């Protein structure tokens, strides 16, 4: 997909809204604009009906029940609601999380720490995976919550979530997962995976921005959460505020489309991702692929180029949109916490680029980007005294 002359390969940062989703949302801005809480009249009842249909579509994608879906403004809010909401009822308790979480979990854990909670950050292995036995070792009798992401936003590594969740459940500790990068891309099943709380976001799966959900398991034993927002008591008292009906309708259809197309789409994306990797590896010496070789998201490719500065490479790739890390980390220009935790050297981290491939990426895009990357790396290395020195020596 080219927009404004640029090939977009940053699908882990966000996705364009699928035109089918835009079309489904449109009537809810003007014709069916009612407040979903206004049950007294048809406008409100139509809006409420649309919200409940979307709740069913979203629940179906993750094998949950509709009443287990709480609408939020995005995964950042869902993560905060899960972590803060639960820990408010356990003032003395400890949290186990991982060192490679998204900032919306890491910063929330820092906040919980300031509130007096103990927090342990489990390190990943060299491929970015969190081992269930490492989570078990980090737990104490005081642990009240385990939160480990489903798939990583930078390197795409998929965690053995069902096994980690079982470790928590065996000790009657709640398990939360930030599944923002996984839902809609790979099979996520809250029953099979023993998940108690799960965050995800519409804009990562071809729905609108500003829409997210928290799955809250209902059943025995009951999970109690304190709301972050107080008000009219919407969303079972967990998230007050007038519902974003158009956004919810879009989120619902986006999930339904993912459910229908995910398997064939994942296969197509793996093909494109492997083609991109192979073209680059065949033409560029000294590159390493970061993350797990197999247990990874279909559309993610994170590569370190030796003797190349990722910022300089991105500047050279004027007509290609890629990322040198998570979008939020890019804002702060900090070294990637994910790659640092995985034990990469400073040089490898500085030379790493994330390519995010998605629904509107074509084989032409991949061939074009591979060519541009190969050319740009060659030019940058020619300008690198260290690279030239290494070449002269060999
Ligand atoms: C793993 C992960 N968690 C949470 C978020 C935050 O999502 P949102 O933008 O919906 O708040 C992101 C977005 O980059 C993410 O990749």
């Amino acid at each position: 997909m080219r927009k404004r002359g640029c090939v977009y390969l940053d699908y882990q940062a966000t996705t364009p809204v699928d035109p089918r989703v835009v079309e489904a949302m449109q009537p809810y801005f003007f014709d069916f604009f009612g407040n979903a809480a206004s049950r007294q009249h048809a406008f409100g009842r139509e809006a409420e009906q649309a919200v409940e249909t979307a709740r069913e579509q979203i629940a179906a994608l993750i094998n949950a029940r509709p009443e287990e879906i709480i609408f939020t403004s995005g995964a950042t809010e869902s993560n905060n609601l899960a972590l803060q909401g639960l820990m408010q009822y356990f003032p003395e308790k400890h949290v186990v999380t991982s060192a490679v979480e998204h900032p919306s979990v890491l910063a929330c854990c820092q906040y919980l720490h300031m509130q007096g909670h103990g927090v342990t950050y489990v390190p990943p292995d060299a491929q970015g995976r969190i081992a269930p036995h490492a989570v078990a070792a980090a737990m104490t009798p005081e642990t009240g919550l385990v939160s480990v992401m489903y798939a990583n936003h930078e390197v795409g590594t998929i965690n053995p979530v069902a096994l980690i969740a079982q470790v928590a459940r065996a000790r009657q500790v709640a398990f939360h997962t930030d599944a923002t990068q996984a839902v809609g891309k790979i099979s996520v099943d809250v029953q099979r995976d023993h998940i108690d709380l799960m965050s995800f976001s519409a804009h990562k799966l071809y729905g609108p921005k500003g829409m997210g959900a928290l799955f809250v398991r209902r059943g025995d034993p009951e999970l109690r959460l304190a709301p972050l927002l107080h008000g009219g008591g919407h969303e079972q008292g967990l998230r007050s505020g007038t519902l974003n009906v158009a956004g919810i309708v879009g989120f619902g259809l986006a999930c339904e489309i993912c459910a229908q197309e995910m398997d064939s789409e994942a296969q197509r994306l793996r093909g494109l991702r492997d083609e991109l990797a192979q073209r680059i590896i065949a033409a560029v010496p000294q590159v390493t692929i970061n993350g797990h070789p197999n247990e990874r998201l279909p559309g993610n490719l994170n590569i370190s180029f030796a003797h190349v500065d990722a910022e300089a490479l991105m500047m050279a790739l004027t007509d290609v949109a890629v990322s040198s890390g998570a979008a939020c980390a890019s804002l702060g220009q900090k070294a990637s916490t994910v790659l640092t935790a995985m034990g990469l050297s400073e040089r490898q981290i500085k030379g790493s680029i994330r390519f995010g491939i998605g629904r509107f990426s074509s084989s032409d895009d991949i061939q074009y980007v591979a060519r541009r990357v190969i050319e740009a790396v060659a030019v940058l290395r020619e300008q690198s005294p260290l690279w030239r020195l290494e070449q002269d020596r060999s």
Side-chain angles (χ1 to χ4, degrees), residues 83-317:
L83 272 65
Q84 291 187 54
L86 191 85
M87 295 314 284
Q88 198 156 321
Y89 285 117
F90 299 122
E92 307 296 320
K93 290 273 192 181
H94 167 249
V95 180
V96 173
T97 187
S98 89
V100 291
E101 297 294 315
H102 185 264
S104 54
V105 168
L106 292 176
C108 190
C109 285
Q110 280 166 14
Y111 174 74
L112 289 173
H113 183 63
M114 282 179 349
Q115 304 295 306
H117 297 277
V119 182
T120 302
Y121 299 89
V122 177
D125 64 16
Q127 295 168 333
R129 276 195 123 200
I130 304 299
H133 66 82
V135 171
M139 290 176 76
T140 73
E142 292 310 311
T143 303
L145 172 68
V146 172
S147 177
V148 175
M149 72 195 326
Y150 211 109
N152 187 265
H153 47 300
E154 289 193 36
V155 291
T157 297
I158 301 167
N159 279 316
V161 165
L163 296 176
I164 297 172
Q166 273 174 314
V167 166
R169 192 163 283 188
R171 301 193 197 181
Q172 278 139 38
V173 170
F175 176 72
H176 166 254
T177 187
D178 174 0
T180 309
Q181 293 290 347
V183 171
K185 316 292 166 48
I186 56 172
S187 158
V188 171
D189 180 324
V190 293
Q191 307 291 336
R192 177 198 69 199
D193 298 335
H194 316 291
I195 293 165
D196 295 317
L197 295 158
M198 185 171 87
S199 309
F200 52 114
S201 189
H203 76 99
K204 306 282 186 183
L205 46 80
Y206 310 95
K209 293 176 183 52
M211 256 332 295
L214 180 67
F215 157 78
V216 182
R217 184 184 53 72
R218 297 290 173 200
D220 197 22
E222 200 196 334
L223 270 175
R224 280 181 74 214
L225 289 186
L228 297 176
L229 302 180
H230 302 273
H234 307 72
E235 298 298 278
Q236 303 170 52
L238 284 176
R239 208 282 188 168
S240 286
T242 300
L243 291 176
N244 172 1
V245 178
I248 290 169
V249 166
F251 192 8
L253 182 62
C255 287
E256 191 174 288
I257 294 172
C258 286
Q260 287 161 359
E261 301 182 355
M262 190 163 60
D263 292 345
S264 56
E265 178 66 356
Q267 210 177 340
R268 190 183 76 89
L269 294 184
R270 265 186 222 108
L272 292 180
R273 194 234 1 242
D274 293 346
E275 182 183 350
L276 180 59
Q278 278 152 16
R279 281 178 183 267
I280 292 174
I281 290 168
V284 185
Q286 296 194 35
V287 293
T288 39
I289 295 185
N290 302 315
H292 197 281
N294 314 314
E295 292 300 323
R296 62 184 307 136
L297 292 172
N300 173 282
L301 180 66
N302 189 307
I303 303 190
S304 288
F305 297 89
H307 298 292
V308 172
D309 181 62
E311 299 298 324
L313 180 54
M314 288 194 308
M315 297 261 278
L317 298 173

